[in-house]
Each structure stands twice: as structure tokens, then as C-alpha cells.
Amino acid sequence: KKKKRFQTSCRIAIHRHCVLCHKAAFSLPRPHGKSFAHRGELKQAKRIVVKLGSAVVTRGDECGLALGRLASIVEQVAMLQNQGREMMIVTSGAVAFGRQRLRHEILLSQSVRQALHSGQNQLKEMSVPVLEARACAAAGQSGLMALYEAMFTQYSICTAQILVTNLDFHDEQKRRNLNSTLQELMRMNIIPIINTNDAVVPPPVPSSDLQGVISIKDNDSLAARLAVEMKVDLLVALSDVQGLYDSPPGTDDAKLIDMFYPGDQQSITYGTKSRVGIGGMEAKVKAALWALQGGTSVVIANGTDPKVTGHVITDIVEGKKVGTFFSEVKPAGPTVEQQTEMARHAGRALSSLLPEQRGEIICCLAELLTEKKDEILSANKRDMELATASGRFSQALIDRLSLSTAKLNSLAIGLRQLSVSSRDSVGRVLRRTRVANNLELEQITVPIGVLLVIFESRPDCLPQVSALAIASGNALLLKGGKEAANTNKILHQLTQEALSIHGVSDAVQLVSTREEVEDLCRLDKMVDLIIPRGSSQLVREIQKAAKGIPVLGHSEAIDIAVSVIIRDSKCDYPAACNAMETLLIHKDLLRTPLFDQIVDMLRAENVKIHAGPRFASYLTFSPSEVKSLRTEYGDLECCVEVVDSMEEAVDHIHKYGSSHTDVIVTENEETAEQFLQQVDSACVFWNSSSRFADGYRFGLGAEVGISTARIHARGPVGLEGLLTTKWILRGEGHTVADFSEQGNMKYLHENIPVPQGSFM
């Protein structure tokens, strides 16, 4: 039996002494026959084929291999193999490697002959004849495999070479032998490296595929056929383009297709094939669709881009939005890219409305919040029940998720305030300058463009942020947490209903597809500003993930210091970003009745106290010592620490604080004023609760968050923070040459008074 298993026309060579390696634990293989419907499911892929196109493996001169690129690919494949996955590689490159070797041998031979015949060191210019591809393949196969062997040896992984031809798949016995061989290799934790046997294969000729079977014409079709034969979960096809485009790459308006469905094949056109290889994008798509039909998921991506080559394969397996993902399941709604385009288009119409019309939309939304409160609260109840039943969410997060009649009424009041204040926002003239005679310059307020707001738990921020976007004429893309899906859905429907009274319902879009936050942060050509609403961890993750898009980061909370103010700051709404997290106590207040009163109040409110290092040193039996003085608890917990002076408190705030909100409680006016001036935070208060740090309470009507940045917008970001400016110049045929030394005009730069409430 063992002998028969290896009787096949495939050429097999197992490299280096093979030792059975212990595989990392991995889930059992899923039943084959149905491909993954969404990118996020690719994490479950156990058996993976990586196809390396000629353009990926070879150098730009087509004579030799791209060693650095190949090394990074090998590293990723090895990492996935060591995770317990079963990896196979279908590779090109033998022809290029052989061409390099043969050219070197020919040039060396010619130089020796010339030296012998001429008897002198001066050599004539030598030319290399056209090399036949099959001869190059024969010369390059062993070297290519030796290279793979050396690279994988660095990761203690064995490799085996398998060379096949089209006939090996058409003969039933050979197919079974090949399948058995591959199964045995993978069982021994060996990575098969497969290639067409280009040394003997005939040149590619047009031929019809057999019914239901794809012919092996190139490595694309080989990879697809192999994937189906071996019941592979995922085929990653790497080429020299980002993926599949709706028109040839490089042409005007060509857009990368994120997900491709079999029914979309007629809607695209193909460009020319890559600089090397015998396939092309059309061949890749055909092979991918054939593999997809056989139950294998496929991603076509760029394996040559130095910015992504080092992680392209692992990113795909992690479900990140890389290349083109082939899926048999087409979502009912538009893609996030399409939603962004729809929002931008409708946003331009929104910004062109009269201020009164935008105000009418906001008023309509406020009315809908009260009229439809029963439906909103019913949807919110479902979310609360699901979140509680899942057991995955903290009480603080569930508190953020909760809506009530009082909250909805408060929201409606804030939106009505905003509808009034927004009447003098977009198009307001900020500055007017007479540059020269009959040449005037204006600076006016204009919308930023497309805003992306990512928020956790709190569905009440959806109508707030939507109203601010409407008031400022900005398009809006919203991404809420799964835990608030039902509430967000109805609130978004009401928002679009309000927008529809002036025909701009698409200006606010809710992302309901399975988009990862990191993928949304890569929409740098479509989104102008990202605003995260949630924990400090969320803000940090988005700031890290954002690629070329500004992030308006609101950060966590607060350092404070007496009883009623402290209670309100900590206990009124502990999950809020403006709740107290750290209480700094002057050392002279320790062991005083006031200090005891504060501690008793916190205990009565069930607030868990974490002792700072200095506070712990004063106590015989201290509460649990704080792990970090920068912790954001978001719950009935806080840190208590001791300081020697106001100056030390300020230093502590600047070292450990978040620049969000800081409060001093004191009767000394001079000390308070010093604190207000010295603390560099977005909000600094004296003898008042930190909970006042809110756009609604500041009279802004609503807010998108608290910005701790130092440019553009800081503190509660309301309507003004969502506007930018535009310069308008009105002239009468003026040219810069008119103002040169030889010209007849001079710059005046006179400020022209701008009447209050002036619009362009």
C-alpha cells in the first residue's frame, strides 16, 4: 500500500531530514463544501494554499528572484504553519531562476572563449541568445527549491517539492496518488511546494475546459484545481496588483473591488497581464470563481508592495480588508465604500441648503425622538436583555447602553437648542480683506466633508452626532457597537426620516456590515475626520489604526479633589467620560473630619477605593493599591492619592492625567486662579462638578465628544468644531504680475469690517 501510494507521475522530493513536529492547537477542520461568506470568518481557515505569481517571485529585470520579498512571504507562511494550520505553496519562479543561472553560464563561457581566441584582456561586447523557457525551468527548479528549503529551515519547518502537469489531474489513479501524497506530507507537518513541471509541459495553447473541470494552463488554474482537490479552506493568490478593479488598474476612476460575487463578472473589464507569467487578471478571476464554486474561499491581493508584503498573508487570514475577497453571499445593502460615496454626494446637497432648512431637519428629528419613544425604548430593551444575557459586558457598559424617557426628552431639548444656534454656522464670513483695489478676499466657514464617528454602547450619541453633522453641513458615517444594534437601527431610521423632508436622507449612513474598525480607519481617500466616542482604549486603537485621517480624540477622565461635588462627579453617572477617576487630597486634610466624611460618602455610594502609592503608605490597612495612576475605571471605582501642595497636584495631573477635565475644590481664590491658569486641560473647573464638561451643558446643544487636541477644536466639540474655513477671492482680471516691481499695482491688505451675522 505504501509503495503504491507514491507511484505517481508527479515529481516529488522531500528536503532535509523530516522530523514530525508538534503542531499548535487549532480547531478541527470545518465541513468542506461551502466557502466563507465574510472576511471575518477567514480566521477559521485551517488548510490554506498560497499562490505566488511570477511577478511576486521574480525581480523587476525578470532574471533572478526577489529574495527579500520571498523571505517575508516564507516568514508569514511559517508563522501560520506553526499556529497549527496546514499550508501549501503554489509557486512560480523556476524559469526566472534558471534564466539567471543560464545567462551567467553563457556569459562566462563566452568570455573564456574570447579570451582564448584574442589572446588579450579586452573583450568584445557579448550578447545572450534568447533562452527557451523549458530549459530555464529545468535549470532553475532545483535552485528554487533549495532556496525555499534554506528559508523554511530557519523556522524548523520541512518542505517537499511536487511538480505536476495537466495530465496528472486527468488520470484518476494519478489524482488519487497526488492527493494521498499531499495528505501524508501535511500529516507530517511538511509544507508542500508545488509547481507545474515547466521543463516538460507543452507551451500554453487555447483549449476548452472539460465540463466542470478547469484545465491546468498556468499556476492560477493549478492553485484553483489543487484547492478544490484538497478541500482547501482558503486560497490566497498574490500578484502585482492590489486586487480586482472595476476597470483596468491605472485608468481613470478605476476602483478596487473589496468583495466580488459570481454575478458581477459581466460588469468589469480586464487590462493586460502582468510583466511576467502566462496568466492575467482574467485568468485569475476564472480560477478564483472555479475554486469558489468548489467550496474554497479566495482572496487576490498584492504581493509586491513593500508597504504590505511583510504582513499581507497574515492580514488576509486575520480577516482584514486586503485585496479582493470572492464570496458567494452578496449583502443586501451597499458596501461601506458605496455608503461613503452616497453620504458625500448627499452631504454636498445638505451643505447647500439654507440654514433654516437644516434647522427644520434637526427640529423634525427632535420631534421624532419624543413621538417614537415607545419604539425606541422597546428596541433598547431588546439590546439590554441581549447584552445582559451574553455575560460579556460590564455593568458600566450596560449603563451606557440604557435609554430612558428622561434621556430622550433631554436629547430632544438639546437638539431644539442646536437647531436655533445652527442658523449662523455654514457660510459665515470670518474675515474680509481688501488685497488691492477691486480685489477682495473672504474667509468663510464651510463643512469639513465626511465624518466617521465610531461609538461604543451609547446609542444616545447617534442623534446628537447626526444633528451636529446636519447643522454643520457635513456628511456622516456612523459605526456603533453590536450591543446597541437594535437601538441604533431605529434611531438611524428616524434620522433619515428627518433628512428626507429636504431630500438628503443619504447624508447620514449607519454601517451595518461586518466592517472592522481598523478597515474603516483606512478609508483615507473617502473620510475627512474620524471621531471616536468611547473608552480611552478605543480612542488609542483608532489613533493607531487611522491611516492618513485626522482623529478628533476625546480621552478618558479626570483628577479632582469635597463631599457633594465629589459625589456628583463620581456617582451621578460613573460610566461617563467626564466622571471622576482620581481624587487628590492635600496631606493636611488626612485624618480630619472632612476626609472621614469624604471616605464615608464614597463607601455609602459603594465606590471601591484604590490607594495611590503615597496614600497607601499612610495606612496600616490600606485598600487595594492602584495598578496604574492613569486608569479609567468607568464604574463605581476611583483612585485616592495624597499631594503636598497645589503645585504637586498640577504636576500629577500633567504626568498622569488625560487633559480632559480637572477640578479644584478650595476656598482660596488665589490658589484656585493659579490652578485654572496652570493646568493644561481641555476643561478646568473651580468648585464645580466634572460632569459639567458636556456640550449640552455648555449650551452647544450637543457634542460629538471632548477633544484633548491642541489645534482646531478643544474641549466639548459642538457645531463650531465641525466646521473648517474656505478662502474666496473676488477680482477683476488681476494677475500676480500686476504686483511685481514692474507692475502698476500695490498690495493694500486692509481689513474690511465684517458686520455681525454676515454671510456670503
Side-chain angles (χ1 to χ4, degrees), residues 382-397:
R382 289 199 300 275
D383 286 331
M384 294 281 289
E385 290 170 348
L386 290 170
T388 303
S390 71
R392 295 186 295 109
F393 302 106
S394 66
Q395 188 58 46
L397 190 144

Side-chain angles (χ1 to χ4, degrees), residues 673-746:
E673 287 299 330
Q674 289 179 352
F675 182 88
L676 296 175
Q677 296 301 319
Q678 292 177 19
V679 171
D680 183 18
S681 294
C683 301
V684 189
F685 301 162
W686 173 27
N687 288 353
S688 55
S689 169
S690 65
R691 294 277 289 122
F692 281 107
D694 176 83
Y696 170 67
R697 298 183 180 103
F698 279 11
L700 303 178
E703 68 172 42
V704 295
I706 306 288
S707 172
T708 55
R710 285 171 170 76
I711 58 172
H712 180 63
R714 198 174 194 208
V717 180
L719 179 60
E720 293 294 325
L722 298 182
L723 294 170
T724 186
T725 63
K726 177 167 69 174
W727 296 89
I728 296 174
L729 187 65
R730 294 184 174 93
E732 296 179 355
H734 293 76
T735 65
V736 172
D738 295 334
F739 296 87
S740 66
E741 291 183 2
Q742 293 77 29
N744 56 1
M745 302 190 76
K746 292 184 178 180

Side-chain angles (χ1 to χ4, degrees), residues 358-471:
R358 289 193 293 271
E360 288 170 5
I361 294 173
I362 298 169
C363 280
C364 179
L365 178 56
E367 295 300 323
L368 288 170
L369 289 178
T370 53
E371 288 176 13
K372 305 287 186 179
K373 67 178 180 181
D374 291 340
E375 290 127 283
I376 297 170
L377 295 177
S378 176
N380 187 245
K381 183 181 178 182
R382 289 199 300 275
D383 286 331
M384 294 281 289
E385 290 170 348
L386 290 170
T388 303
S390 71
R392 295 186 295 109
F393 302 106
S394 66
Q395 188 58 46
L397 190 144
I398 292 175
D399 290 342
R400 290 192 187 110
L401 179 59
S402 175
L403 287 181
S404 64
T405 301
K407 272 190 178 181
L408 292 176
N409 289 338
S410 178
L411 271 173
I413 293 170
L415 297 193
R416 292 188 185 99
Q417 290 178 353
L418 181 62
S419 70
V420 175
S421 62
S422 67
R423 304 283 168 101
D424 60 349
S425 55
V426 181
R428 189 173 74 255
V429 178
L430 301 177
R431 180 185 303 172
R432 184 174 290 154
T433 304
R434 182 177 290 108
V435 178
N437 291 329
N438 299 320
L439 185 64
E440 293 186 358
L441 178 68
E442 286 181 349
Q443 184 187 21
I444 65 168
T445 56
V446 294
I448 290 174
V450 178
L451 312 177
L452 168 60
V453 177
I454 302 169
F455 57 100
E456 292 177 322
S457 304
R458 290 181 53 185
D460 55 323
C461 87
L462 192 152
Q464 284 188 48
V465 173
S466 297
L468 283 166
I470 294 165

